[in-house]
Amino acid sequence: MLNVKRLKRMFNNNQAGFHNINFSVDKGEIIGILGTSGCGKSTLLRVLSGLDPYYEGNISSSDEANNGVGMMFQEPRLLPWLSVRKNISFGLKKEERTSTKYQTYLDLVGLTGFENHYPKDLSGGMAQRTAIARALITEPEVLLLDEPFSALDAFTKMQLQDLLLSIWQKKKTTMLLVTHDIDEALYLCDRILILKGQPGEVFAEVQVERSKPRTRGDAYLSQQKAHILNLLNVEQKAAGELK
Amino acid sequence: MISETQKWKVGQRASPQKLSSSKGLFRVGKGFALGSILPIILLIAWEIAARVGLLAPHLLPAPSIILEKIISMYRDGSLFGHVSITLTRVLLGFAIGTAAAVVIGAIVGYAKTAEQVLDPLFQAFRSIPSLAWVPLFILWMGIGEPSKISLIAVGVFFPVYLNIVAGIQGVDRKLIEVGRIYQLTPFQLTKRIILPAALPSFITGMRSGLGLGWMFVVAAELMGASEGLGYLLVVGQNTYSPDTVIASILLFAILGKGTDALLKWIEYRSLKWQDSINNQA
Ligand SMILES: Nc1ncnc2c1ncn2[C@@H]1O[C@H](COP(=O)(O)OP(=O)(O)OP(=O)(O)O)[C@@H](O)[C@H]1O
Ligand SMILES: [Mg+2]
C-alpha cells in the first residue's frame, strides 16, 4: 500500500527533522506514531501527504484509485469565514457540498445544533471535532491524523476513538495516527512506531497482536504499555526524579 | 464532584442559540445617539451665536440659513442635478479604480514574478501626488467627464491595490495547505481560500479608496465643471455667498458619510466571522 524507504527531511543544518525512516503499511492497517515532542512526527505526515516536497528518499504508493489522502492537522485549521457546516463539507464535491451529508458527521462528533456557528465561537475541543468531521467526510483511502484527540476530555476522546474504529471497520481505511497517548495507540493501532532523537529515527516498532475492537486496559495492553514506557525511557527518568 | 459523563452532557446541552443575539442593532442605535450629541450642541450654539450677531453673516451664516439654501435648491430642482452628477462621478471612478485594482492586485499578490515586474512601477507611481495628474488628464482627455472620472479612478486605485496585495500575501499558509490537501486547482484555491481570506483587507482598501474618491471629485470639479457640488463651491466663492459654499460642504459630508456607512454595513455583514473586538456578542 505505502512503502517508505530511507526517508529524510532535515531543518536547521540537520539539527531537526527526521532521517532514516523505513516502513511499509498494508491496506487497512492502522499505524501509530509515538515519539517525544519535536522528533519530526508532524513533519513526517506533511511529507507523506505531499505538502512538503523537499524530502530525500523514496515514497511509493500502490494506491492507484487515488481518492486522495485525508489529513487532520495538529491544529484544527478551520476556515474562519465558513460556518461549522461549510467547514465540514469543505472537501466534498460541489454538488455534495450543499447537501445534508454533513449532518451525519456533525452528529457523530457531537456538534448537533452548532452547524451555523463560526469557528471563532467554538471551544478548542469543538474546533478539533469539526476538523475531525471534515477529515472523515470525504472517506479517503489513507487518513493521516496528527494528534486528533489531544484537546478533548477523556470521555469525548474515547467516544471519538470508537468512532474512528467504526469507520475503519466499515471502510478499512488505512490510517497513520500520531499521538502522545500510549493507551490510545494501543487501543487503535496494529503497529506502533516509536520515534526518538533529534533528528528523529524509528527507534522501535511494537506489534499489537489483538484484534479490534479491544478491551481498554486489558492485561496484554497494560503489559505492552509498560514495554513502550520502558522504550521511551520514561520510567527511568521518573525514578530518577524521585530520588 | 462532577463526573466526566455529566460534564459531557452539560457540554452538549449548552444552547447553540445563545451566541446569536439581536443586541447588535440596539448597540448601533445607542452608538448613533451618543455620536450625535456633540454635533447637535455645536449646531445649537452656532445658531444662537449667529442670531445674536456674534458671527458676521457674510462670513458664517446661521445653520437655518444654510438649510434654507438647501431647501430652495431642492425646490428649484437644481439640488438633485448637482448631487446626482457628483455621486455618479464618484461611483463610476470608484468602480473603475476598484476593478483595475482587483485585477492587477490579484495578479501581483499571487504571482511572484508579476510582483517583481509590476510592483516597483506602481510604487513609483504611487509616490506621485495624484493631483499632479490633473493637467495631464486635461491635456489628454479635455475638460469633460473622462478626465474627471480617470482622476477619481487613479485616486481610488492605489489604496485598494495596496490592500489587496497585502491581503493576498498575508493569507495564512496553513489555510492554503488545507486547500492543497483537497487538491484544489489554483483557480479554486483562489476562489475558496485566498479571496475570502483577503476580504477584510480588501474592504479596508475600498473604504479608504472611497474617501480618496470624494477628495478627488472635489479637485476634478474645481478644475472645471458646469454642474456638481464642487462647481457649487466655485459658484459660491465667486458670488460671495458663504451659504452656498457651506451648503455644498455639508452635502459632501452627508454623501461621504452615507457611502462610507454603506461600505461599513457591507463590511459588517460579510465579516461577521471575524474574531474581532467589534464582533463580540
Ligand atoms: N519549516 C520548518 N523549518 C524549520 N524547522 C522546522 C520546520 N518544521 C519543523 N521544524 C523543526 O523540525 C522539528 C520537528 O518538528 P515537528 O513539528 O515535526 O515535531 P513533532 O514531532 O510533530 O512535535 P510535537 O509532538 O510537539 O508536535 C522541530 O524541531 C521543528 O522546530
Ligand atoms: Mg507535531
Side-chain angles (χ1 to χ4, degrees):
Chain A
M1 177 79 194
L2 185 70
N3 214 321
V4 171
K5 273 205 205 91
R6 301 200 63 78
L7 198 63
K8 176 175 170 185
R9 173 71 170 109
M10 296 287 222
F11 304 104
N12 309 338
N13 296 322
N14 300 346
Q15 294 293 302
F18 59 81
H19 65 157
N20 203 13
I21 303 267
N22 303 289
F23 64 89
S24 64
V25 185
D26 291 330
K27 183 161 172 44
E29 249 190 320
I30 304 184
I31 305 288
I33 299 171
L34 274 175
T36 42
S37 179
C39 70
K41 303 180 297 294
S42 297
T43 312
L44 177 62
L45 288 198
R46 288 174 54 81
V47 167
L48 293 177
S49 69
L51 284 177
D52 187 343
Y54 305 105
Y55 61 87
E56 289 165 42
N58 202 315
I59 303 174
S60 55
S61 159
S62 63
D63 168 33
E64 289 308 321
N66 209 355
N67 189 327
V69 292
M71 169 105 166
M72 199 198 137
F73 296 93
Q74 193 163 358
E75 322 81 37
R77 298 202 188 185
L78 302 179
L79 305 174
W81 54 89
L82 296 182
S83 61
V84 166
R85 174 169 73 82
K86 289 185 175 162
N87 260 299
I88 292 179
S89 310
F90 185 82
L92 293 174
K93 299 253 158 14
K94 198 164 185 163
E95 317 78 65
E96 283 181 321
R97 237 180 280 153
T98 44
S99 73
T100 52
K101 189 169 178 185
Y102 75 91
Q103 190 70 48
T104 327
Y105 291 84
L106 190 77
D107 298 344
L108 281 175
V109 296
L111 285 175
T112 317
F114 285 90
E115 55 263 53
N116 292 322
H117 278 59
Y118 285 106
K120 73 178 170 85
D121 296 330
L122 300 178
S123 74
M126 286 158 77
Q128 205 177 31
R129 282 182 275 156
T130 310
I132 294 168
R134 177 177 69 185
L136 296 180
I137 198 170
T138 50
E139 303 177 347
E141 299 274 302
V142 181
L143 198 49
L144 308 174
L145 302 155
D146 199 345
E147 301 181 25
F149 310 130
S150 57
L152 305 176
D153 62 277
F155 191 79
T156 313
K157 201 178 198 170
M158 285 190 220
Q159 282 201 327
L160 291 180
Q161 286 164 356
D162 288 329
L163 167 65
L164 209 61
L165 264 192
S166 68
I167 285 174
W168 173 81
Q169 273 164 339
K170 249 189 297 176
K171 308 270 174 202
K172 287 289 172 288
T173 314
T174 312
M175 299 188 202
L176 268 84
L177 172 77
V178 170
T179 174
H180 283 298
D181 182 340
I182 300 174
D183 294 316
E184 176 173 293
L186 287 168
Y187 184 65
L188 294 173
C189 303
D190 303 303
R191 262 188 300 149
I192 302 170
L193 302 177
I194 295 173
L195 266 60
K196 215 175 166 183
Q198 221 158 9
E201 253 182 298
V202 178
F203 166 76
E205 190 181 315
V206 176
Q207 294 273 350
V208 187
E209 283 151 349
R210 277 289 146 95
S211 62
K212 287 168 286 194
R214 301 173 182 145
T215 324
R216 288 178 202 274
D218 81 1
Y220 174 75
L221 294 186
S222 313
Q223 194 191 327
Q224 289 290 46
K225 183 175 180 179
H227 177 52
I228 292 172
L229 281 173
N230 203 0
L231 287 171
L232 284 169
N233 226 349
V234 175
E235 281 181 333
Q236 277 94 327
K237 254 196 216 154
E241 275 163 11
L242 280 180
K243 267 175 204 163
Chain B
M1 209 194 101
I2 303 171
S3 76
E4 286 298 339
T5 328
Q6 269 167 337
K7 266 194 211 160
W8 163 255
K9 279 190 183 143
V10 169
Q12 274 198 325
R13 252 191 279 120
S15 143
Q17 266 78 36
K18 71 178 175 205
L19 292 162
S20 52
S21 73
S22 59
K23 272 192 196 144
L25 229 104
F26 173 71
R27 274 220 316 247
V28 169
K30 194 178 158 203
F32 188 76
L34 276 181
S36 30
I37 292 177
L38 199 57
I40 289 175
I41 291 177
L42 281 177
L43 268 180
I44 293 172
W46 178 6
E47 181 73 41
I48 293 171
R51 293 257 168 121
V52 301
L54 273 177
L55 300 170
H58 67 284
L59 293 180
L60 193 58
S64 54
I65 297 185
I66 294 162
L67 195 67
E68 261 167 46
K69 177 75 196 168
I70 294 179
I71 291 172
S72 84
M73 283 197 297
Y74 173 73
R75 291 247 167 80
D76 67 22
S78 60
L79 181 70
F80 181 73
H82 291 305
V83 168
S84 66
I85 190 92
T86 299
L87 201 58
T88 313
R89 285 173 184 146
V90 172
L91 294 185
L92 264 179
F94 179 70
I96 296 172
T98 305
V102 168
V103 173
I104 300 173
I107 296 171
V108 168
Y110 201 51
K112 198 103 204 129
T113 23
E115 187 191 357
Q116 282 158 348
V117 172
L118 291 173
D119 204 52
L121 183 74
F122 282 119
Q123 295 295 345
F125 272 119
R126 189 170 76 100
S127 56
I128 302 171
S130 307
L131 292 184
W133 295 106
V134 172
L136 198 61
F137 283 179
I138 292 180
L139 277 180
W140 283 347
M141 292 174 264
I143 210 162
E145 294 305 311
S147 64
K148 291 192 181 62
I149 290 171
S150 315
L151 183 67
I152 297 166
V154 168
V156 171
F157 177 83
F158 285 104
V160 182
Y161 166 79
L162 291 174
N163 276 287
I164 286 190
V165 173
I168 291 178
Q169 289 178 342
V171 178
D172 192 351
R173 174 188 56 81
K174 294 183 168 177
L175 297 184
I176 293 181
E177 283 181 355
V178 173
R180 284 179 47 203
I181 282 289
Y182 292 109
Q183 297 170 324
L184 301 189
T185 62
F187 173 75
Q188 290 171 321
L189 200 66
T190 310
K191 189 176 145 226
R192 298 187 61 199
I193 294 187
I194 294 174
L195 287 185
L199 189 66
S201 127
F202 173 51
I203 294 183
T204 307
M206 287 218 293
R207 282 182 67 186
S208 57
L210 188 66
L212 277 183
W214 281 106
M215 204 164 109
F216 280 81
V217 80
V218 178
E221 291 182 342
L222 282 179
M223 81 197 182
S226 53
E227 232 189 340
L229 292 176
Y231 164 75
L232 272 189
L233 287 174
V234 180
V235 171
Q237 185 196 354
N238 293 344
T239 58
Y240 299 103
S241 44
D243 52 341
T244 313
V245 174
I246 297 175
S248 78
I249 290 178
L250 199 68
L251 288 169
F252 267 126
I254 293 170
L255 288 176
K257 186 74 194 160
T259 46
D260 186 59
L262 195 69
L263 274 187
K264 209 172 162 182
W265 179 75
I266 294 175
E267 180 175 24
Y268 170 76
R269 289 301 309 268
S270 51
L271 298 185
K272 264 196 223 158
W273 50 268
Q274 258 193 333
D275 199 0
S276 66
I277 296 181
N278 294 333
N279 276 351
Q280 272 161 18

